[in-house]
Structures are given as structure tokens and as C-alpha cells.
Amino acid sequence: MSQIRHALSVKRQDDFAKWYQEVIAAADLAEESGVRGCMVIKPWGYGIWERIQRLMDDRIKAAGVQNCYFPLFIPLANFTREAEHVEGFAKEMAVVTHHRLISDGKGGLMPDPAAKLEEPLVVRPTSETIIGDAMARWVQSWRDLPLLTNQWANVVRWEMRTRMFLRTSEFLWQEGHTAHENREQALEETHRALEMYRACAEEDLALPVIAGEKPENERFPGAVETWSIEAMMQDGKALQAGTSHYLGTNFAHAAGIQYQDREGSQQYCHTTSWGVSTRLIGGVIMTHGDDDGLRVPPAIAPQQIIIIPMLREAPEDAELLAYCEELRAMLATQTALGERLRVLLDKIPGKAAAKRWDWVRKGAPVILEVGPRDMAEGKVAMLRRDALWNAENGKPAMQFVTREDFAAQAGALLEEIQRSLFEEARVRRDANITRGVTQWQAVVDHFEKSGKYPGWVEVEWAKPTGAALEAVVEKLKAVKLTIRNVPREGEPATGTCIFTGEPAAERILIARAY
Amino acid sequence: MSQIRHALSVKRQDDFAKWYQEVIAAADLAEESGVRGCMVIKPWGYGIWERIQRLMDDRIKAAGVQNCYFPLFIPLANFTREAEHVEGFAKEMAVVTHHRLISDGKGGLMPDPAAKLEEPLVVRPTSETIIGDAMARWVQSWRDLPLLTNQWANVVRWEMRTRMFLRTSEFLWQEGHTAHENREQALEETHRALEMYRACAEEDLALPVIAGEKPENERFPGAVETWSIEAMMQDGKALQAGTSHYLGTNFAHAAGIQYQDREGSQQYCHTTSWGVSTRLIGGVIMTHGDDDGLRVPPAIAPQQIIIIPMLREAPEDAELLAYCEELRAMLATQTALGERLRVLLDKIPGKAAAKRWDWVRKGAPVILEVGPRDMAEGKVAMLRRDALWNAENGKPAMQFVTREDFAAQAGALLEEIQRSLFEEARVRRDANITRGVTQWQAVVDHFEKSGKYPGWVEVEWAKPTGAALEAVVEKLKAVKLTIRNVPREGEPATGTCIFTGEPAAERILIARAY
């Protein structure tokens, strides 16, 4: 058995950013495409996204939200209708100006000057304005409400500095857009979506998150309230993993989304929007990855159990393959986390030890190796990716179990791994939130002196607005900190504002962030 | 019971094009978006696409093809590398030239001249060239082959005249791209994909198709061979419903996709690509729609059985709803076509008769109405969308069956409807292919004199190439005809070429087409 340890060239604690890039390569998740800011998502990475999509889509449909598809291109004029929205997005959009190419006379191509668009089109950075146009057509009366739509789509935000999965010019996401009769119903939907994200993050991705409201300066452009789920990465930084916005009547006014109410008068709808993206995969990597590569929670693993037969290109291979195939068939009838097990019998030629480490780096939850001796004893050798090493002898913690026992317990094992990954992340997250800090200087000291991974700090503030808030944001920015959110389930404030000394209004989480 | 007949204002035989547009509106499938050439796909239409995706994706994965995601934007230079490819696509692409907007000083926005891209980016019309770049990185040795990838994506081809689902500037599709060691293996994959499309069209969409090779003039730009499946619409025109291309080493040379063969020398890969799009939904409409609206084959119906309780906003409603809910629960345990039944209990307020006709127009396969009297008798009133009218009395062919009998037979009923829709289309298609025509003038006469829906004509030809083929194409074009394909399972040629009088090489299908 190979004793390769530390499959990666760098450890998390030595260079987290480099480690992140290396896990993406080692797990074969994605790569740079050569097109500025755009990545290629490779089969194992896209398989994880397909799993996230499937589980989130089930949750979306269960809430009565219907999937639609809206245009990739948005006319320029749409962006000028909602003042804050254009302010927030106009600086980073891809603009289509021509619809034909011609020869440039030098063997290349150029946009055809004769095919210039009268009105340039923007490649959607988000779809509030174009979906608002549709809502204005679809909503006539209170009977048409609530209108609950969602789309799975690609969006483009021109980014100067990109990082795979976390910030790319093009990314994949879902965006929910809903219209309601009044503020209460729209807020209820905003929170329903937020809680759906929390459930998906925690139950499916095994990412413990804190749901809360963003401060005014972090609101989505044009939103009245923005809520988020925030996850703590292993370097202590925060990752905004999903957002849900209450848009008030701002976009309804801009697009003319009106309805006749029960009394017969015209009213503007209250709208919401909410989204999660391929960024979630970045969160999975930075939460569950270790110094040997990725660890994928079973619920979102494209394959949950890998069976590696130790083939020798000899006649005995056929019998060994049959033994493994029987196991695959036994497992195929089992379920875990409410679904059939996903099992791969890896028959690709190659050394079993090398293949094991490939699957370790990719983070398959359970890896089985089966050699002729195992077969003779009716057993399999099992490796749990979430408990890879034997602490006593420093070797892979291989367990030898009978094939039948393994098959009978496989579903429960995967559920145990799912729980264990969540618990590990939750315990780490909770241990790295510092509470009870009441002086600004203590916050600064905490992030400067508590080592590389200072985690998050919870403080109380007076919830300033306008210029006073700007001053706070600048103060934070000077030491590279941000306000993550006001935890929804946080304790009420009892002391004074850490920034102004006024009576505090609420508790906020302060952190470095992606 | 309402006696509304002909839910649409126009019949197929009176104005097929207008009827097509009206079905799309009446079934609430899609609508114009206001963005040139782009449509909004509404929930029922998108639900059909989701079903097609799911079934096709299962077939794709079963063939060992892995899903990936590649960039939306393609650098201009990629298009100049494959001469025929650029010739075929350069005329209809959306070009991104800027990455920022600024105020135009008149309250509007304009592309920022300071943010002009050094090299414009093309919004992908298809992804051979960008995926070729990735293949060049991924393939080193014969051990990496075959490389089997697919992506589900949006693509843009600037179209002057658009028609919903059939020809829109942006559309949704899947594109498979594979690389192989040699011609034989690549051709095998080309045909595997073609047969996969045939199976999906016939088994899932109930569209009978003829699979065959396209003539040289209809090849995909850069392909060595292009194969298609062709379906006959109810106006007799042909719809190309899917294509599969053998690309030879053309794209491999352009992108440098090389591998080291078993003997250690460098070889260029032979590649393929294959795709189907939201156009398939246009084919479903024009094949299965009737003068009352759409009819959706059960395999791709978002909901297969609609239960409409005849609610009266009275206390008895609760009992009726419970009776219907019990039926829904009974049906939820049944299967048809290998999947759980999809059943909707339509509780939305409104008159049952109006709701029934809404679902007739949408084409739900089975519509149940349940009133207090039905409940008292333990029955339901059932309407099969594929056999809507009683020919004797001109009334809806409502059948009264016990709730238990319906539940027990629902799966078989849906499978029967799936078969029946396919058979109806197949019989019509076969009846409208005219064979044995040996004179060109007879072909012209057939399409001019045999009424509105002349169907297709099968003739023999000498398979001309180059200028001789051009002459044939021009001759056909003058009377608005096209060659659809050379049927893969056609009889061998026995006579002379209808165009030149030379000995014939093969049989071709001639038709008007979308």
C-alpha cells in the first residue's frame, strides 16, 4: 500500500490561497480557459454543481416557484430606469455593440462597422430589469400574485481580479424573482428564500452558515433590504454564500409592475430577488478541503462510493471484476440522504494505489479497494475520506469489512460522513467567533495579533446610516475588515456602540472576507 | 359542461403559421421578450424543456459522456483558425467590444471608450473552437481517448427573421464534443449520438424521425460529414431536429489537438460534435398540436395528470378536496414510462370548465374533473387530451370511471397515450412521403399541384459534388425545396439521377423545410 502523504505540495496553514488553487487542480474541478476571467468547469466540478442544482431546484419547486428562461441580453435603457441599480452595476458589464464580423484585410476579423447595433445590449449581470419587464406584462390583478419565478443561467460581471469559483467574469447561478401585493408578503418571501439557502448550505453542502441582514452599505443596488448567509472558511475569512433581497417597489416603479388590488385601485408590486452561484463550490473547497485535497459532502458528491479493483491485467481480473460488480449492484439498491447511492466501479486501467490517491484528492466520500485476497476473504478494504489517517501509525485508516456488512451499512455510513463534515465545520466556526469585544482598538488588535486566522468578531453598534456609516466603513476598510451581517438569531444588543459610544442597536459580525 | 369547441381562433389547415403562434400563446409556452430575436420561455414551456433535458441527459450520461461548462465568450482569433467554420458563422454573431458603460451626458448610458477590449469577444454561436482549446490541453496520449464531453448552454446566432422556438437569436441547447484516435471511432460516435437523438425524439417526444446524412451543401461549417434527424410537421414541411457531425481532423489541426499513439508518434485527433436545442419544442408543437391547442406527450409533460375539483366556495369543498387529495396520493405511488407519475391537483380558484380548457390548450395528457356527484359515486370524469372529442355527438369524450380503477390504470393509460401520439404522427408521416418519382418535372408538379401540404418526395440522385451540386441546389431553391438527408436505412438506388440522368448513387428526401 502506497504511503504517499500530503498529496498537495502546500498545506493550508502555509499558504491558504495557493492551497486553494492547488486543490482545484488536484481535484480536477476547473481550470483557466484562456478567455479573460472565464474558467472551464471540468466534469468533477460540474458534477458537484449539477448535484447542488438538483437539490436546490427541488427546494425551489417545493416552494411553488416556477422556472422560466429570460434573455441573455438586456437593452441599455433598462439600466437607466433604476438609479441605484445602474450605479451599482454599470461599471462592470460586457457590452455587445455589433452583430457581425468581417475580414480586417490582414487575415483576421473585426466587427463590421455596417452592423453596429442602434442600441448596445448588455450581457446580463443579473436580471431584475428584464424580468421586471415580463412581470409588468404578466401581472394585472391581485389574483396574479404572488408571482414566483426562477431561472438557472449564466451571468457576466466584468471583474478585474478573478479567482476560480469565487470571482469569475462569467458564472453560473440561479436567480429567483418574485412579485407580491405588499411589503409583508415580500419580506416573508425574502426570508423564505434565505432559510431555503440556509437549509441547502447546511444540509446539502454541510456548510454551517449565519443568516442575517447586510448593513446599508452592503445592500444590492436598488434593494431596500439585503440578507445573506455567511460561511467561515478555514482561514477564518467569511464567504457570502447566498443573498436574498427585498426590493420594495423600486423595481416595480422602474418597470411598471402594477396590479389592481381587491378594492379596484392600481398598486405597485413589492418584489424580491435571491441567488446562489457556483461560488458555493469555492465555499465547499475552503470549508471541507484538507492537506490531501478536497472532501466532498456525500449529498453533493457526483459519486459517493468508488470501488477500485486491484487489476493485474491477468485472467483473475474477470473474477475480481465480477466480485466488485456484485457489490455495485448490492449498493445500487440502497439509499442515503433520501436518494439512491451513487457508486462508481473504476475500471480504468492503472495502478490501484495511484487511483486511490486520485480519488482522495477529488474527495470521494468512501473509497474501496478490492484485491484478490480481499475477495478470497469476502471482504473489501474501506477508506473514509473524512477520516483518512490513522493517528497512531500515520498510515491510511483502512478498514477491512465483509462485503455484505459494507453493503448493508453503506447508506448509514454516508449519512454519518455528511453529519461529521458539518459538525467539524460547525465546531471550528463556533470556536473562531470572538464575542464580548467592546473596544474598537481591541478589534484591531484581535485581527492584527491573533495570528493568521483570527476568525470573526461579534460587536455591538448603533446602526449608523448615511455619512456616519460611511465613516465606520472607512475605518473598517483601513484594516481590511467588513461587516458581514446582523445575525438573524443573534442576541439583542445590551451595551454601547463600538464605533460611537452611543447606545447599541444590534450585534454585527466583523470579518475579513472573500 | 361547457361546449366551447376550437379553443383557438385559427385552424391548422387555414393558416399553419398563425396557428403555430397561437398555440404558443394559448399553451402559455413562451412570448416575445422585447429584446430583438430573444424570447421568454414561460413555466409550461420551460417545464417541457426541463423534461427533455432530463431524459436526454440521462441518455448522454449513460453513454459515458461527461458534462462540463465552457466560456460564453470566444476570442476573435479562435474563429480565424478554421477557414470553413468562420465562413459559416462569421456573419451572424454578437460581438462584445467594451466592458464598461458610462453616462452619455443625456441621462442615458453608452459604452465607455476607455474600456474598449483589445480583442473583441464573440458570444458563442457554438463551441467547437473553445472546446478544441481545452481538448488540446487535456489530450496527451491515446490513453486519454476517447474524450467525451457535453455542455448544456445558451448560444447566440444573430438571426434576421426569428420565429419562437424554431429560430431565435439566443437559444438553449446541448452540444456534445468528443475526440478519438481515428476516423472509425469518431464515426462510430457520430452515429451513436445520431441514434441517441432518434431514440429520444421517438421514445420521449413521440416524434417519428428519419436519420440520414446531409448532402455536402448542408454540412456544418468545418465538418466532413453531417448527419441529421428530420421530422415531418403537420404542414408537410421538414424540421431538422438534431445534428451529429464528424469533423475529421479539421478542428484538431486548428486547435492542435494531438495525441501520442500506441507506437509513440504524434497524431491529430478525429473529433465529433452533436447538438439538439429548444427547437425540439417547436417540433413537438407542430407535430402534436391540434385545433384545440397543444398535446404534450406524457414522457415530456411537466404534469401528466391534472385533477380539477369543481369547487364552489362552499363548506362541501373541503370534502371534495380531500377526495381529490386521496386520489393524488394514490397516483403518486404509480409509475409510467419508468418514472413516478407527475400529478397536479389544481386548487387555484376559478371555474372548473374554464380551467379544463386551459389545460386542454396546454396539452396536459389526462384531465380529470371531480364534482360532488362524482365523489358521491366514487368516480372521476376523465378526458384524454389525445382523444378529446366524441365523434358521434361532437362533445368532449368524457369518461366516468371509479377513482380506484383510474388510479390502477393511470400508468398504462399514459403509456398508451405516448404510443398513440407517436403512431398518429408516424402514420401521417409515412402517408406523406411520395416515392417512385423519377422525373424532375414530376417533383415540381407534386409540390405545386398537390395542395398545401405536399409532404416529402423521395428521389434518386447521382450524389453530385462541387459545381454540379450547386446547380442542383439552385434548381431546388428556385422552387423553395431543399434536400433533407440521405436516409440511413433507405433502399439502395436502382435507377437514374433525377437531375442529370446519370446512374443514381443513393436516395434523398426532398422537402420544404423550417
Side-chain angles (χ1 to χ4, degrees):
Chain A
M1 195 180 292
S2 171
Q3 292 305 318
I4 308 166
R5 182 135 189 190
H6 299 308
L8 307 183
S9 78
V10 60
K11 295 183 187 184
R12 286 163 290 178
Q13 63 184 41
D14 295 332
D15 188 337
F16 196 77
K18 195 175 164 202
W19 167 85
Y20 176 75
Q21 296 297 339
E22 200 170 325
V23 172
I24 290 173
D28 212 18
L29 297 172
E31 67 184 24
E32 299 291 349
S33 66
V35 182
R36 215 198 131 286
C38 297
M39 63 179 177
V40 173
I41 309 181
K42 300 181 79 175
W44 187 250
Y46 196 78
I48 294 173
W49 180 239
E50 285 183 314
R51 288 294 310 152
I52 295 173
Q53 275 194 302
R54 178 73 61 103
L55 293 167
M56 187 72 86
D57 198 59
D58 286 349
R59 292 179 188 274
I60 289 170
K61 286 195 168 83
V65 180
Q66 296 189 297
N67 285 343
C68 301
Y69 188 76
F70 297 90
L72 172 67
F73 297 132
I74 302 182
L76 214 51
N78 280 41
F79 283 90
T80 56
R81 295 187 309 216
E82 215 292 322
E84 281 186 38
H85 192 62
V86 65
E87 188 60 31
F89 277 105
K91 292 191 178 140
E92 42 170 350
M93 304 200 286
V95 190
V96 175
T97 55
H98 294 74
H99 65 80
R100 192 185 306 137
L101 295 171
I102 53 166
S103 166
D104 65 359
K106 294 174 281 185
L109 290 165
M110 57 178 242
D112 182 352
K116 195 171 170 183
L117 296 177
E118 278 186 37
E119 186 185 13
L121 294 171
V122 170
V123 179
R124 64 182 162 218
T126 180
S127 303
E128 278 73 11
T129 73
I130 193 89
I131 296 182
D133 286 350
M135 286 179 165
R137 294 192 298 269
W138 298 350
V139 174
Q140 310 293 330
S141 128
W142 62 271
R143 287 184 194 83
D144 302 322
L145 299 174
L147 180 65
L148 308 173
T149 66
N150 176 65
Q151 80 170 349
W152 292 93
N154 53 345
V155 287
V156 172
R157 297 175 188 179
W158 209 262
E159 298 284 355
M160 285 304 135
R161 276 189 244 163
T162 62
R163 202 185 299 214
M164 280 195 284
F165 290 114
L166 297 177
R167 197 176 295 277
T168 49
S169 289
E170 182 191 11
F171 58 91
L172 304 180
W173 80 344
Q174 63 67 220
E175 46 181 324
H177 296 268
T178 70
H180 306 264
E181 287 183 63
N182 53 44
R183 181 175 183 279
E184 290 64 39
Q185 290 172 17
L187 274 175
E188 194 180 311
E189 172 64 16
T190 306
H191 290 135
R192 184 205 63 75
L194 187 73
E195 289 303 319
M196 174 179 75
Y197 288 159
R198 185 214 296 262
C200 182
E202 300 199 332
E203 295 165 20
D204 302 337
L205 283 68
L207 298 183
V209 294
I210 289 183
E213 189 180 356
K214 287 286 197 186
E216 183 185 307
N217 63 301
E218 296 271 1
R219 272 182 209 144
F220 175 77
V224 176
E225 294 181 16
T226 285
W227 295 72
S228 74
I229 52 170
E230 303 280 335
M232 187 187 287
M233 304 297 99
Q234 286 183 74
D235 61 356
K237 285 194 192 173
L239 181 81
Q240 178 178 299
T243 49
S244 183
H245 316 289
Y246 166 55
L247 305 171
T249 57
N250 293 344
F251 286 87
H253 276 278
I257 314 170
Q258 285 185 286
Y259 72 98
Q260 193 170 55
D261 70 14
R262 289 169 168 81
E263 284 71 44
S265 52
Q266 289 294 105
Q267 302 285 352
Y268 282 100
C269 287
H270 291 247
T271 66
T272 84
S273 66
W274 29 273
V276 296
S277 73
T278 35
R279 177 168 238 233
L280 284 172
I281 296 175
V284 168
I285 297 167
M286 291 194 291
T287 300
H288 301 305
D290 66 16
D291 293 339
D292 297 299
L294 184 59
R295 299 185 300 171
V296 188
I300 58 167
Q303 303 291 349
Q304 297 166 316
I305 299 172
I306 311 294
I307 307 173
I308 304 174
M310 300 172 85
L311 302 174
R312 294 158 186 220
E313 305 196 24
E316 305 84 75
D317 284 359
E319 199 185 341
L320 190 61
L321 274 174
Y323 180 80
C324 292
E325 178 55 45
E326 282 163 23
L327 173 57
R328 200 202 56 73
M330 283 181 218
L331 292 169
T333 64
Q334 308 290 311
T335 61
L337 302 156
E339 294 181 272
R340 294 257 178 220
L341 302 195
R342 295 182 291 282
V343 183
L344 178 74
L345 173 51
D346 182 351
K347 299 183 206 174
I348 296 173
K351 294 218 168 183
K355 285 164 70 165
R356 178 213 303 164
W357 292 107
D358 285 345
W359 286 111
V360 163
R361 284 189 291 271
K362 281 170 175 281
V366 175
I367 301 165
L368 303 180
E369 289 177 30
V370 189
R373 198 173 356 167
D374 305 310
M375 178 171 66
E377 295 172 4
K379 289 187 173 175
V380 298
M382 180 193 86
L383 209 46
R384 266 178 73 157
R385 180 61 184 88
D386 66 324
L388 194 58
W389 300 103
N390 181 325
E392 288 175 22
N393 62 15
K395 293 185 178 175
M398 197 71 87
Q399 297 172 52
F400 295 85
V401 291
T402 70
R403 187 175 65 164
E404 279 62 30
D405 280 355
F406 178 79
Q409 294 157 20
L413 173 66
L414 290 169
E415 290 175 358
E416 160 61 21
I417 294 173
Q418 181 81 20
R419 265 194 305 276
S420 144
L421 286 172
F422 177 79
E423 267 308 291
E424 183 183 325
R426 191 192 59 73
V427 167
R428 184 175 56 232
R429 192 265 319 263
D430 290 349
N432 285 287
I433 299 181
T434 302
R435 292 189 167 82
V437 181
T438 56
Q439 302 297 319
W440 170 243
Q441 191 54 46
V443 173
V444 174
D445 289 348
H446 175 84
F447 282 95
E448 278 187 1
K449 297 177 188 162
S450 66
K452 267 186 165 170
Y453 306 137
W456 304 353
V457 170
E458 188 193 76
V459 301
E460 300 193 353
W461 80 336
K463 197 177 186 177
T465 58
L469 174 59
E470 277 308 308
V472 165
V473 171
E474 285 305 313
K475 203 168 181 174
L476 288 161
K477 205 172 166 184
V479 285
K480 294 182 182 168
L481 293 174
T482 59
I483 302 170
R484 301 320 302 159
N485 66 24
V486 180
R488 205 178 170 192
E489 286 153 6
E491 298 286 315
T494 55
T496 54
C497 175
I498 199 166
F499 301 107
T500 64
E502 300 168 273
E506 60 196 15
R507 297 183 191 224
I508 56 174
L509 287 170
I510 289 178
R512 292 192 177 135
Y514 283 94
Chain B
M1 195 180 291
S2 170
Q3 293 304 319
I4 308 163
R5 182 134 190 191
H6 299 308
L8 307 182
S9 78
V10 59
K11 295 183 188 184
R12 287 163 287 179
Q13 64 184 43
D14 295 333
D15 187 337
F16 197 77
K18 197 176 163 200
W19 167 86
Y20 176 74
Q21 296 296 339
E22 202 170 322
V23 172
I24 289 173
D28 213 17
L29 297 173
E31 67 185 23
E32 299 291 350
S33 66
V35 182
R36 215 197 131 287
C38 298
M39 63 178 177
V40 173
I41 310 181
K42 301 181 79 174
W44 188 249
Y46 197 77
I48 294 172
W49 179 239
E50 286 183 313
R51 288 293 311 154
I52 295 173
Q53 275 194 302
R54 179 74 60 106
L55 294 167
M56 187 73 85
D57 198 59
D58 287 348
R59 293 179 188 273
I60 288 170
K61 287 195 167 83
V65 180
Q66 295 190 297
N67 286 342
C68 301
Y69 187 77
F70 298 90
L72 172 68
F73 297 132
I74 301 181
L76 215 50
N78 281 40
F79 283 90
T80 56
R81 295 189 307 218
E82 215 292 324
E84 281 186 38
H85 192 63
V86 64
E87 187 59 31
F89 277 105
K91 292 194 177 137
E92 41 170 351
M93 305 201 285
V95 189
V96 176
T97 55
H98 294 74
H99 64 80
R100 192 185 306 136
L101 295 171
I102 53 167
S103 166
D104 65 358
K106 293 175 282 185
L109 291 165
M110 56 179 243
D112 182 352
K116 196 171 170 183
L117 297 177
E118 277 186 39
E119 185 185 14
L121 295 171
V122 171
V123 180
R124 64 181 161 220
T126 180
S127 302
E128 277 73 11
T129 72
I130 193 89
I131 296 181
D133 285 349
M135 286 179 165
R137 294 191 298 270
W138 298 350
V139 174
Q140 310 294 331
S141 128
W142 63 271
R143 288 184 193 81
D144 301 322
L145 299 174
L147 179 66
L148 309 173
T149 67
N150 177 65
Q151 81 171 346
W152 291 93
N154 53 345
V155 288
V156 172
R157 299 177 187 179
W158 210 262
E159 298 284 355
M160 284 304 135
R161 275 187 242 163
T162 62
R163 202 186 298 213
M164 280 195 282
F165 291 113
L166 297 177
R167 197 176 295 277
T168 49
S169 290
E170 183 192 10
F171 58 91
L172 304 180
W173 79 344
Q174 62 68 220
E175 45 181 324
H177 296 268
T178 70
H180 306 265
E181 288 183 62
N182 53 43
R183 180 174 184 277
E184 291 61 41
Q185 289 172 18
L187 274 175
E188 194 180 313
E189 172 65 15
T190 306
H191 290 135
R192 186 206 60 77
L194 187 73
E195 288 304 319
M196 173 180 75
Y197 287 160
R198 186 214 295 262
C200 181
E202 300 199 332
E203 294 165 21
D204 302 337
L205 283 68
L207 297 184
V209 293
I210 290 182
E213 188 181 356
K214 287 287 199 187
E216 183 185 308
N217 62 300
E218 297 270 0
R219 272 182 209 144
F220 175 77
V224 175
E225 292 182 15
T226 285
W227 295 72
S228 73
I229 52 168
E230 304 280 334
M232 188 188 287
M233 304 296 100
Q234 286 183 74
D235 62 355
K237 284 194 192 172
L239 182 81
Q240 178 178 300
T243 49
S244 184
H245 315 290
Y246 166 55
L247 305 172
T249 57
N250 294 343
F251 286 87
H253 275 278
I257 314 170
Q258 285 185 286
Y259 72 97
Q260 192 171 54
D261 69 16
R262 288 169 168 82
E263 283 72 42
S265 52
Q266 288 294 106
Q267 301 286 351
Y268 283 99
C269 287
H270 291 247
T271 67
T272 83
S273 67
W274 29 274
V276 297
S277 73
T278 34
R279 178 168 237 232
L280 283 172
I281 297 176
V284 168
I285 298 166
M286 292 194 289
T287 300
H288 301 305
D290 67 14
D291 293 339
D292 298 298
L294 183 59
R295 299 185 302 173
V296 189
I300 58 166
Q303 303 291 349
Q304 297 166 316
I305 299 172
I306 311 294
I307 308 173
I308 305 174
M310 300 171 86
L311 303 174
R312 293 157 187 220
E313 304 194 26
E316 305 86 73
D317 284 358
E319 199 186 340
L320 191 61
L321 274 174
Y323 179 81
C324 292
E325 180 53 46
E326 283 162 21
L327 172 57
R328 200 200 56 71
M330 282 182 220
L331 292 170
T333 64
Q334 307 291 312
T335 60
L337 302 156
E339 293 183 89
R340 294 258 179 222
L341 301 194
R342 295 182 292 281
V343 183
L344 178 75
L345 173 50
D346 182 351
K347 299 182 204 174
I348 296 173
K351 295 219 168 182
K355 285 163 70 165
R356 177 212 305 163
W357 292 107
D358 285 345
W359 286 112
V360 163
R361 283 188 291 271
K362 281 171 175 281
V366 174
I367 301 165
L368 303 180
E369 289 177 30
V370 188
R373 197 172 358 165
D374 304 310
M375 178 172 64
E377 295 173 3
K379 289 187 173 173
V380 298
M382 179 194 86
L383 209 47
R384 267 177 73 156
R385 180 61 184 87
D386 67 322
L388 194 58
W389 300 103
N390 180 325
E392 287 176 22
N393 62 17
K395 293 183 179 177
M398 197 71 87
Q399 298 172 52
F400 295 85
V401 290
T402 70
R403 187 174 64 164
E404 279 62 29
D405 281 355
F406 177 79
Q409 294 157 20
L413 174 65
L414 289 168
E415 290 175 357
E416 159 62 22
I417 293 172
Q418 182 80 20
R419 266 194 304 276
S420 143
L421 286 172
F422 176 79
E423 267 308 291
E424 185 183 324
R426 191 192 59 75
V427 167
R428 185 176 55 234
R429 192 266 317 265
D430 290 348
N432 283 287
I433 298 180
T434 303
R435 291 189 167 83
V437 180
T438 56
Q439 301 298 320
W440 169 244
Q441 190 54 46
V443 173
V444 175
D445 289 350
H446 175 84
F447 282 95
E448 277 186 2
K449 296 178 186 161
S450 66
K452 269 184 163 171
Y453 305 138
W456 303 352
V457 171
E458 188 193 77
V459 301
E460 300 192 354
W461 79 337
K463 197 177 184 177
T465 57
L469 174 59
E470 277 309 307
V472 166
V473 171
E474 284 307 312
K475 202 168 182 175
L476 287 162
K477 204 173 169 187
V479 285
K480 295 181 180 166
L481 292 176
T482 59
I483 301 170
R484 301 320 302 160
N485 67 24
V486 180
R488 205 177 172 195
E489 286 153 5
E491 299 286 315
T494 55
T496 55
C497 174
I498 198 167
F499 301 107
T500 64
E502 298 168 274
E506 59 195 15
R507 296 183 190 222
I508 56 174
L509 287 170
I510 290 177
R512 292 190 176 136
Y514 283 95

